[in-house]
Amino acid sequence: MPFIKPLPEGGFYAVIFSNTKSNDLEGYAEMDEKTLDLAQKQPGFLGYESLTKEKETIFISYWEIKEAINNWRNNSVHQMAKANALKWYKRYLSQICFVERSILFEN
């Protein structure tokens, strides 16, 4: 379920995390919930969107500034989650992008 605060029209960052989960997901759901809750409380966090189909997920988080992303990357709970990446994922790709322009349409 997406959680997006009103985003600026541009000048912010998106972290795109696409992944395919493995069969060994012991502890994943609990850590996923914990890190998502914690990420939303980080200074500079703007929101996220997530789409999952079977074992494949695309998760995009939005951040005001790159420093906020770096602070989240170095967060101890996030580091614990990342330590399990080789167990929980068959494949993942993490990308940091600068958003020059953003337009939202809702009907």
Side-chain angles (χ1 to χ4, degrees):
M1 174 175 174
F3 167 76
I4 302 178
K5 298 177 186 178
L7 293 172
E9 290 183 10
F12 59 96
Y13 288 86
V15 177
I16 305 168
F17 182 66
S18 60
N19 65 76
T20 303
K21 295 191 186 47
S22 73
N23 292 324
D24 184 0
L25 296 176
E26 182 181 346
Y28 176 83
E30 298 82 3
M31 183 59 80
D32 186 51
E33 183 178 330
K34 185 176 186 175
T35 55
L36 183 56
D37 181 58
L38 186 58
Q40 292 178 68
K41 296 174 182 172
Q42 299 305 299
F45 181 85
L46 295 173
Y48 73 89
E49 296 181 86
S50 182
L51 179 64
T52 299
K53 183 177 179 183
E54 297 177 11
K55 290 190 173 195
E56 296 181 354
T57 299
I58 298 173
F59 182 90
I60 307 171
S61 58
Y62 300 103
W63 300 84
E64 288 178 355
I65 58 175
K66 199 168 185 182
E67 181 181 10
I69 297 168
N70 291 333
N71 289 340
W72 174 240
R73 179 186 304 147
N74 295 321
N75 177 281
S76 61
V77 174
H78 190 207
Q79 289 290 319
M80 288 186 335
K82 288 168 62 172
N84 286 291
L86 297 179
K87 176 174 97 169
W88 290 335
Y89 302 108
K90 283 185 177 180
R91 172 200 169 275
Y92 69 84
L93 174 65
S94 182
Q95 300 170 305
I96 298 174
C97 309
F98 181 74
V99 178
E100 292 184 15
R101 185 171 179 209
S102 177
I103 300 171
L104 173 65
F105 170 78
E106 293 181 311
N107 189 2

